[in-house]
Amino acid sequence: MKHPLRTTFHVFALSLTALAASAIGADLDSPVGTWRTIDDKSGNTRSIVRIYEQGGELFARVEKDLTPAGSTTLCTRCKDGHKDQPLVGLVFMRHMKLDDGEYRGGDILDPDNGSIYKCKLRLEDNGRKLKVRGFIGFSLFGRTQTWEREQ
C-alpha cells in the first residue's frame, strides 16, 4: 500500500514540473528575454541584450558588452541622442510589433557605423534562436544575424 504523504508529494512534484514546463514554453513563444548577439561576419558573441515589452511594443538594450573593450565602449558613430553614450544600457532596438508571425515596424541601431535601419525579427528553433534582420528600404537589401537565447 502506498503511503498517502508520498503520493501527495509525487502529485505536487509532477504539478511543479508541468508548471515549469509551461512557463518555459510561454517564454519561448516570445522574443522577450535575454539573448547572446552573434556577429554575422565573425561568428563571435558580441553582447548580451535584453528584449523587453513596453506599451505593446518590443525594445532591446545592451546588458553586457563582450568585446575586448568591454563596458568602456561608447557609441561614438551614433548621430542622434545616442551619440557618445555608453554601449551598455543603450536602447538600440525600438517599436517592434507582432505582425503575422514576425515582429516588425521598428528600427535597430548599428553602433559600429551609427546607422539606424528598419528591422524585423523572427523566432526559430522553438524559440531558442532569433533571426534579426536590419535593412534599408526593402528587406531584400540588408543583413541578418542569428541571436541565441540565454538560458
Side-chain angles (χ1 to χ4, degrees):
M1 177 178 201
K2 291 186 178 180
H3 191 277
L5 186 56
R6 182 178 290 166
T7 302
T8 302
F9 176 76
H10 284 260
V11 169
F12 178 71
L14 287 172
S15 297
L16 280 179
T17 302
L19 182 62
S22 69
I24 290 170
D27 288 344
L28 296 179
D29 291 338
S30 166
V32 171
T34 310
W35 297 87
R36 286 186 169 276
T37 67
I38 310 297
D39 186 281
D40 55 305
K41 294 176 184 169
S42 70
N44 295 327
T45 302
R46 294 201 49 176
S47 62
I48 305 296
V49 301
R50 177 169 307 281
I51 297 178
Y52 60 96
E53 183 184 351
Q54 182 176 327
E57 299 177 332
L58 297 184
F59 296 79
R61 74 173 168 265
V62 178
E63 296 283 307
K64 187 174 184 181
D65 182 1
L66 300 175
T67 62
S71 62
T72 61
T73 306
L74 300 178
C75 195
T76 56
R77 294 189 171 175
C78 293
K79 298 166 186 71
D80 58 7
H82 296 116
K83 177 95 175 126
D84 295 326
Q85 295 298 309
L87 191 57
V88 174
L90 186 74
V91 176
F92 67 96
M93 187 172 63
R94 308 174 294 186
H95 308 295
M96 303 298 294
K97 296 174 222 95
L98 183 60
D99 179 19
D100 197 27
E102 282 188 334
Y103 292 83
R104 57 179 82 161
D107 56 44
I108 191 165
L109 165 71
D110 182 347
D112 288 341
N113 62 25
S115 296
I116 297 175
Y117 301 96
K118 292 181 180 180
C119 183
K120 65 182 189 177
L121 311 172
R122 185 178 71 248
L123 287 165
E124 292 190 348
D125 193 19
N126 294 317
R128 290 180 197 75
K129 293 186 179 180
L130 184 66
K131 292 287 186 177
V132 179
R133 182 146 183 89
F135 57 96
I136 297 173
F138 298 100
S139 179
L140 181 64
F141 303 110
R143 69 181 222 233
T144 301
Q145 291 184 344
T146 302
W147 297 355
E148 299 172 354
R149 192 179 291 273
E150 278 283 284
Q151 300 300 339

XYZ file of all heavy atoms in Angstrom, residues 76-120:
356
model
N 30.324 56.180 -30.443
C 30.921 57.395 -30.999
C 30.409 57.721 -32.401
O 30.419 58.879 -32.804
C 32.455 57.279 -31.051
O 32.800 56.117 -31.809
C 33.034 57.179 -29.646
N 29.954 56.726 -33.142
C 29.480 56.966 -34.512
C 27.982 57.257 -34.581
O 27.468 57.540 -35.652
C 29.822 55.775 -35.390
C 31.316 55.616 -35.551
C 31.647 54.608 -36.575
N 33.076 54.646 -36.832
C 33.693 53.803 -37.615
N 33.016 52.860 -38.225
N 34.979 53.894 -37.787
N 27.305 57.181 -33.458
C 25.871 57.478 -33.442
C 25.664 58.957 -33.727
O 26.493 59.795 -33.365
C 25.260 57.114 -32.092
S 25.276 55.343 -31.775
N 24.546 59.276 -34.379
C 24.306 60.648 -34.818
C 23.228 61.371 -34.004
O 23.138 62.566 -34.017
C 23.904 60.637 -36.289
C 24.991 60.082 -37.187
C 24.452 59.760 -38.568
C 25.472 59.085 -39.430
N 25.790 57.724 -39.055
N 22.407 60.624 -33.285
C 21.289 61.257 -32.574
C 21.594 61.330 -31.081
O 22.743 61.488 -30.695
C 19.985 60.498 -32.859
C 20.065 59.034 -32.465
O 21.071 58.618 -31.857
O 19.110 58.290 -32.746
N 20.586 61.188 -30.259
C 20.756 61.241 -28.812
C 21.624 60.124 -28.247
O 22.009 60.175 -27.084
N 21.949 59.145 -29.062
C 22.833 58.054 -28.628
C 24.314 58.425 -28.731
O 25.171 57.695 -28.256
C 22.592 56.799 -29.479
C 21.226 56.225 -29.316
N 20.321 56.177 -30.344
C 20.611 55.668 -28.252
C 19.205 55.613 -29.925
N 19.352 55.300 -28.653
N 24.607 59.545 -29.367
C 25.994 59.961 -29.608
C 26.796 59.975 -28.305
O 26.399 60.578 -27.314
C 26.020 61.355 -30.240
C 27.399 61.900 -30.474
C 27.857 61.609 -31.874
C 29.205 62.253 -32.154
N 30.158 61.301 -32.632
N 27.913 59.246 -28.321
C 28.864 59.160 -27.209
C 28.268 58.560 -25.935
O 28.839 58.729 -24.848
C 29.500 60.523 -26.913
C 30.364 61.000 -28.078
O 30.977 60.140 -28.749
O 30.424 62.217 -28.313
N 27.140 57.884 -26.046
C 26.549 57.198 -24.895
C 27.226 55.841 -24.708
O 27.653 55.213 -25.679
C 25.045 56.994 -25.098
C 24.258 58.275 -25.163
C 24.370 59.068 -23.871
O 24.159 58.551 -22.784
N 24.718 60.340 -24.002
N 27.318 55.351 -23.471
C 27.891 54.021 -23.243
C 27.052 52.957 -23.949
O 25.823 53.035 -23.973
C 27.817 53.841 -21.727
C 27.595 55.199 -21.170
C 26.934 56.014 -22.228
N 27.726 51.978 -24.522
C 27.022 50.897 -25.200
C 26.189 50.089 -24.204
O 25.042 49.748 -24.492
C 28.026 49.989 -25.919
C 27.443 48.971 -26.878
C 26.610 49.642 -27.956
C 28.548 48.144 -27.506
N 26.748 49.818 -23.032
C 25.989 49.094 -22.009
C 24.872 50.007 -21.501
O 25.119 51.138 -21.093
C 26.895 48.633 -20.845
C 26.068 48.010 -19.738
C 27.939 47.641 -21.346
N 23.645 49.532 -21.612
C 22.471 50.302 -21.228
C 21.783 50.971 -22.410
O 20.674 51.490 -22.279
N 22.417 50.953 -23.569
C 21.883 51.608 -24.754
C 20.662 50.864 -25.290
O 20.700 49.656 -25.493
C 22.965 51.648 -25.836
C 22.648 52.425 -27.097
C 22.708 53.929 -26.824
C 23.652 52.067 -28.187
N 19.571 51.586 -25.511
C 18.385 51.017 -26.172
C 18.641 51.159 -27.664
O 18.672 52.268 -28.197
C 17.088 51.742 -25.753
C 15.903 51.196 -26.535
C 16.859 51.582 -24.255
N 18.870 50.036 -28.332
C 19.277 50.060 -29.734
C 18.217 49.509 -30.687
O 18.372 49.608 -31.909
C 20.585 49.284 -29.927
C 20.444 47.816 -29.674
C 20.225 46.943 -30.730
C 20.519 47.310 -28.391
C 20.080 45.592 -30.511
C 20.377 45.963 -28.162
C 20.153 45.097 -29.223
N 17.147 48.951 -30.146
C 16.047 48.474 -30.981
C 14.758 49.006 -30.383
O 14.574 48.956 -29.164
C 16.024 46.940 -31.032
C 15.011 46.385 -32.005
S 15.163 44.601 -32.232
C 14.791 44.008 -30.591
N 13.862 49.527 -31.258
C 12.671 50.201 -30.758
C 11.437 49.872 -31.593
O 11.540 49.612 -32.790
C 12.860 51.719 -30.809
C 14.109 52.221 -30.158
C 14.318 53.692 -30.370
N 14.554 53.985 -31.794
C 14.883 55.174 -32.249
N 15.022 56.183 -31.435
N 15.086 55.372 -33.531
N 10.287 49.901 -30.924
C 8.960 49.920 -31.552
C 8.626 48.707 -32.415
O 7.926 48.837 -33.416
C 8.774 51.205 -32.368
C 9.066 52.447 -31.593
N 8.301 52.824 -30.509
C 10.045 53.368 -31.722
C 8.802 53.948 -30.016
N 9.860 54.288 -30.734
N 9.097 47.531 -32.041
C 8.794 46.315 -32.808
C 7.417 45.801 -32.386
O 7.116 45.711 -31.201
C 9.862 45.255 -32.556
C 11.281 45.708 -32.882
S 11.522 46.142 -34.604
C 11.295 44.566 -35.377
N 6.592 45.446 -33.396
C 5.236 44.941 -33.128
C 5.019 43.629 -33.868
O 5.500 43.462 -34.991
C 4.190 45.957 -33.602
C 4.241 47.268 -32.864
C 3.271 48.261 -33.493
C 3.888 49.615 -33.590
N 4.509 50.042 -34.750
N 4.280 42.730 -33.237
C 3.963 41.447 -33.849
C 2.997 41.662 -35.010
O 1.975 42.327 -34.867
C 3.342 40.504 -32.816
C 3.020 39.093 -33.302
C 4.283 38.376 -33.791
C 2.370 38.291 -32.180
N 3.347 41.095 -36.167
C 2.530 41.214 -37.365
C 2.697 39.936 -38.183
O 3.761 39.713 -38.767
C 2.964 42.437 -38.178
C 2.159 42.618 -39.462
O 1.064 42.054 -39.572
O 2.653 43.330 -40.352
N 1.667 39.093 -38.177
C 1.651 37.878 -38.980
C 2.859 36.974 -38.705
O 3.536 36.528 -39.627
C 1.553 38.239 -40.464
C 1.124 37.053 -41.311
O 0.431 36.156 -40.796
O 1.484 37.032 -42.511
N 3.156 36.742 -37.426
C 4.214 35.812 -37.038
C 5.613 36.401 -36.985
O 6.552 35.719 -36.591
N 5.770 37.658 -37.397
C 7.060 38.340 -37.320
C 6.885 39.630 -36.532
O 5.801 40.189 -36.478
C 7.584 38.720 -38.709
C 8.184 37.613 -39.473
C 8.865 38.108 -40.751
O 8.495 39.165 -41.288
O 9.774 37.405 -41.187
N 7.969 40.085 -35.972
C 7.971 41.388 -35.314
C 8.605 42.361 -36.295
O 9.674 42.109 -36.839
C 8.761 41.331 -34.001
C 8.071 40.488 -32.969
C 8.215 39.110 -32.959
C 7.243 41.076 -32.021
C 7.550 38.331 -32.019
C 6.583 40.307 -31.081
C 6.742 38.940 -31.090
O 6.083 38.173 -30.164
N 7.937 43.486 -36.531
C 8.425 44.472 -37.498
C 7.876 45.842 -37.158
O 7.174 46.011 -36.182
C 8.072 44.051 -38.912
C 6.586 43.841 -39.126
C 6.277 43.446 -40.535
N 6.492 42.022 -40.674
C 5.994 41.280 -41.627
N 5.263 41.821 -42.556
N 6.222 40.003 -41.688
N 8.186 46.806 -38.017
C 7.650 48.156 -37.848
C 8.542 49.061 -37.024
O 8.275 50.250 -36.906
N 9.611 48.517 -36.475
C 10.506 49.327 -35.666
C 11.845 49.520 -36.346
O 11.966 49.351 -37.559
N 12.833 49.869 -35.546
C 14.160 50.081 -36.105
C 15.236 49.550 -35.169
O 14.973 49.250 -34.006
C 14.388 51.557 -36.446
C 14.181 52.484 -35.260
O 14.642 52.178 -34.147
O 13.569 53.549 -35.449
N 16.443 49.446 -35.720
C 17.581 48.943 -34.971
C 18.807 49.792 -35.311
O 18.999 50.189 -36.457
C 17.819 47.439 -35.260
C 18.834 46.843 -34.291
C 18.194 47.207 -36.718
C 18.845 45.322 -34.286
N 19.580 50.092 -34.303
C 20.792 50.896 -34.436
C 21.998 49.971 -34.537
O 22.130 49.036 -33.748
C 20.933 51.798 -33.206
C 22.284 52.462 -32.971
C 22.528 53.558 -33.998
C 22.358 53.030 -31.565
N 22.858 50.230 -35.488
C 24.139 49.521 -35.578
C 25.198 50.429 -34.987
O 25.598 51.418 -35.619
C 24.465 49.182 -37.029
C 25.761 48.402 -37.166
O 26.545 48.330 -36.202
O 25.993 47.853 -38.269
N 25.665 50.153 -33.761
C 26.630 51.050 -33.128
C 27.994 51.070 -33.822
O 28.769 51.993 -33.623
C 26.742 50.529 -31.695
C 26.203 49.150 -31.734
C 25.272 49.052 -32.889
N 28.269 50.077 -34.678
C 29.549 50.070 -35.400
C 29.638 51.203 -36.414
O 30.706 51.742 -36.647
C 29.753 48.739 -36.125
C 30.061 47.601 -35.162
O 30.465 47.880 -34.012
O 29.885 46.433 -35.562
N 28.486 51.559 -37.023
C 28.534 52.629 -38.021
C 27.585 53.793 -37.696
O 27.551 54.773 -38.416
C 28.242 52.081 -39.425
C 26.870 51.478 -39.550
O 25.941 51.811 -38.823
N 26.727 50.558 -40.492
N 26.787 53.660 -36.635
C 25.884 54.724 -36.210
C 24.601 54.819 -37.009
O 23.792 55.708 -36.785
N 24.394 53.892 -37.933
C 23.198 53.941 -38.788
C 22.018 53.258 -38.129
O 22.183 52.309 -37.361
C 23.484 53.257 -40.129
O 24.471 53.965 -40.835
N 20.830 53.755 -38.469
C 19.582 53.161 -37.993
C 18.886 52.532 -39.185
O 18.747 53.159 -40.238
C 18.689 54.218 -37.313
C 19.395 54.764 -36.068
C 17.330 53.618 -36.956
C 18.678 55.883 -35.368
N 18.463 51.273 -39.005
C 17.850 50.501 -40.076
C 16.447 50.063 -39.679
O 16.157 49.910 -38.493
C 18.674 49.240 -40.367
C 20.089 49.535 -40.769
C 21.120 49.511 -39.829
C 20.401 49.836 -42.098
C 22.430 49.774 -40.204
C 21.712 50.101 -42.470
C 22.720 50.070 -41.524
O 24.011 50.343 -41.897
N 15.600 49.814 -40.673
C 14.347 49.120 -40.401
C 14.718 47.737 -39.925
O 15.812 47.238 -40.207
C 13.494 49.033 -41.667
C 12.958 50.356 -42.140
C 12.114 50.152 -43.374
C 11.570 51.470 -43.870
N 10.748 51.290 -45.087
N 13.790 47.103 -39.226
C 14.139 45.831 -38.604
C 12.950 44.876 -38.617
O 11.794 45.318 -38.584
C 14.584 46.102 -37.170
S 15.132 44.673 -36.257
N 13.259 43.588 -38.654
C 12.239 42.581 -38.403
C 12.885 41.416 -37.668
O 14.081 41.159 -37.796
C 11.520 42.154 -39.679
C 12.328 41.447 -40.704
C 11.427 41.162 -41.905
C 12.112 40.267 -42.902
N 11.244 39.929 -44.019
